[in-house]
Amino acid sequence: TRSTRPQRLLKAVQKRATRGDPQSVISAIDHFCRHSEWAMNVGDEKGSILDSVVSELNPEKVLELGTYCGYSTVRIARLLPPGARLITLEFNADYAAIARQVISWAGLEDKIQLVEGASEDWIPRMKEHFGIETFDFVFLDHWKDRYLPDTKLMEDCGLLRKGTVLLADNVICPGVPDYLEYVRNSLSYKSSYFKSHLEYTKAEDGLEKSVFLG
Ligand SMILES: Cn1cnc(CNC(=O)c2cc(-c3ccc(F)cc3)cc(O)c2O)c1
Ligand SMILES: [Mg+2]
């Protein structure tokens, strides 16, 4: 049967990228998405903003909601200091299978724990299952109707501390109006918008950076 787009994306990585070289994996996926088939990775333009937020923060404990093919997982993990850990949650088993191979090709498996399942099931288990008290950085890029409930769930589970940074993808396209309204009006967050474009297109999109004030 016909291959899937994530399978073709993985083939492009294995064909073009060098094992153990995260930058070549990122470039191979960007090339595939620009010249072969669009895919919903955060992309190179918003990816550069993601890089700058991560580099400035130097987080030890990172949570990513929505792995997809592992593009942003690799972008983040390549910048983490030794000993830092990234937990990434993916609901879709087919995406998770591809992401594991992309992460492995980049040689970053030691920094990354990919967990398959629903974010609402795993967020309450971060402490007892992963020994995580609080996260330093959270990248939200999963189902857009889950950004707000999962943020409230992270608050309720005590996973955010004074200074934890949430960075949300797609706040314009597809858009997350309820989440934006919440983080921009809540006294518990200092929020700012980074205007950019939908990956590999000219359409407007952006990232919302929200610092939890405790
Ligand atoms: C099925 N599924 C598994 N994970 C998810 C969560 N991600 C998205 O939905 C997502 C969607 C788009 C997008 C799609 C079509 C379009 F016309 C414009 C934008 C872009 C993104 O960056 C995304 O992260 C969905
Ligand atoms: Mg996205």
Side-chain angles (χ1 to χ4, degrees):
T1 54
R2 183 168 151 68
S3 65
T4 66
R5 183 166 307 184
Q7 284 170 331
R8 294 191 293 273
L9 181 149
L10 172 62
K11 282 275 169 291
V13 166
Q14 294 167 336
K15 181 164 177 253
R16 288 179 186 280
T18 307
R19 276 183 180 281
D21 176 356
Q23 190 53 56
S24 74
V25 169
I26 292 164
S27 302
I29 293 172
D30 286 331
H31 187 276
F32 173 81
C33 292
R34 277 196 187 288
H35 303 293
S36 303
E37 304 180 59
W38 186 91
M40 60 182 169
N41 317 115
V42 72
D44 46 358
E45 192 179 313
K46 288 186 289 178
S48 298
I49 299 167
L50 170 62
D51 288 357
S52 56
V53 171
V54 172
S55 299
E56 187 189 331
L57 201 59
N58 250 326
E60 296 283 320
K61 289 162 288 168
V62 178
L63 175 63
E64 176 181 60
L65 300 175
T67 316
Y68 187 42
C69 295
Y71 174 89
S72 49
T73 323
V74 167
R75 277 204 88 111
I76 296 166
R78 87 190 199 285
L79 300 174
L80 296 181
R85 331 236 25 81
L86 190 164
I87 295 173
T88 183
L89 303 184
E90 178 51 59
F91 178 77
N92 182 306
D94 297 328
Y95 296 162
I98 298 295
R100 288 189 200 288
Q101 296 173 81
V102 168
I103 289 162
S104 169
W105 199 269
L108 291 169
E109 51 273 67
D110 296 349
K111 292 175 181 283
I112 296 162
Q113 186 142 19
L114 195 162
V115 180
E116 279 181 54
S119 48
E120 66 267 27
D121 296 340
W122 281 102
I123 286 171
R125 303 178 59 194
M126 284 298 157
K127 286 198 169 78
E128 42 101 7
H129 200 88
F130 299 101
I132 296 266
E133 286 302 315
T134 58
F135 285 105
D136 305 315
F137 178 67
V138 183
F139 182 55
L140 296 92
D141 193 22
H142 59 331
W143 284 332
K144 307 317 163 193
D145 62 357
R146 293 298 316 170
Y147 282 29
L148 182 54
D150 285 346
T151 297
K152 291 181 171 176
L153 185 57
M154 287 188 285
E155 289 174 17
D156 298 344
C157 296
L159 288 170
L160 308 182
R161 52 128 176 113
K162 207 184 291 293
T164 297
V165 169
L166 307 186
L167 189 67
D169 189 25
N170 309 117
V171 297
I172 303 299
C173 177
V176 280
D178 59 344
Y179 174 82
L180 270 194
E181 201 271 332
Y182 178 72
V183 290
R184 289 178 174 175
N185 295 301
S186 165
L187 295 177
S188 299
Y189 293 92
K190 176 89 183 80
S191 210
S192 51
Y193 175 59
F194 292 77
K195 184 180 165 94
S196 183
H197 295 95
L198 176 68
E199 48 266 28
Y200 318 113
T201 79
K202 291 184 168 50
E204 181 179 347
D205 190 21
L207 301 170
E208 187 81 3
K209 178 186 173 186
S210 307
V211 185
F212 187 62
L213 303 173

